[in-house]
Amino acid sequence: GTGTRRVFVFGDMTGLGAVEGDRPREVAALARELGVPEIYPVGERAAAACQDIPPIPGDRLAKHVARRLRGERDAVVLVKGSHDVGLDALVEDLLQASSAST
């Protein structure tokens, strides 16, 4: 919604077959087109698709995003990537950080 802070954690997407090479660029472009102000790539393909955004190491990413969202009431965090990228752990860390701040 209007005024809602939007964050996109964008991980590599594997197992897509022939479209696997193009998909990360398409997803990154769409996020920018939609005006998502904060995009955090995770993995080689996602980082290549977001060339102008330096990746944050996975062990620090959850803390970084949680710190950026501290005090936000209407934040939306979209996490997209293949399971083998390990974003499940990031989601758990974000949920714990969110619970601790409320």
Side-chain angles (χ1 to χ4, degrees):
T2 304
T4 299
R5 184 150 179 194
R6 295 173 292 169
V7 174
F8 180 32
V9 178
F10 174 39
D12 284 350
M13 298 180 293
T14 60
L16 298 176
V19 299
E20 191 170 303
D22 296 330
R23 195 65 66 203
R25 285 188 298 279
E26 293 169 1
V27 171
L30 179 59
R32 288 186 172 119
E33 183 181 315
L34 293 172
V36 177
E38 293 182 58
I39 302 172
Y40 298 102
V42 177
E44 287 182 26
R45 291 181 181 119
C50 301
Q51 295 173 0
D52 58 332
I53 303 170
I56 298 171
D59 60 338
R60 295 191 337 224
L61 184 56
K63 290 177 185 172
H64 175 80
V65 172
R67 202 171 33 249
R68 298 277 298 150
L69 297 178
R70 189 171 292 138
E72 294 283 336
R73 298 188 77 200
D74 295 333
V76 173
V77 180
L78 172 63
V79 179
K80 171 66 180 138
S82 293
H83 286 286
D84 59 347
V85 177
L87 296 178
D88 304 60
L90 177 114
V91 170
E92 288 299 322
D93 291 345
L94 286 173
L95 289 171
Q96 287 179 4
S98 175
S99 296
S101 67
T102 57

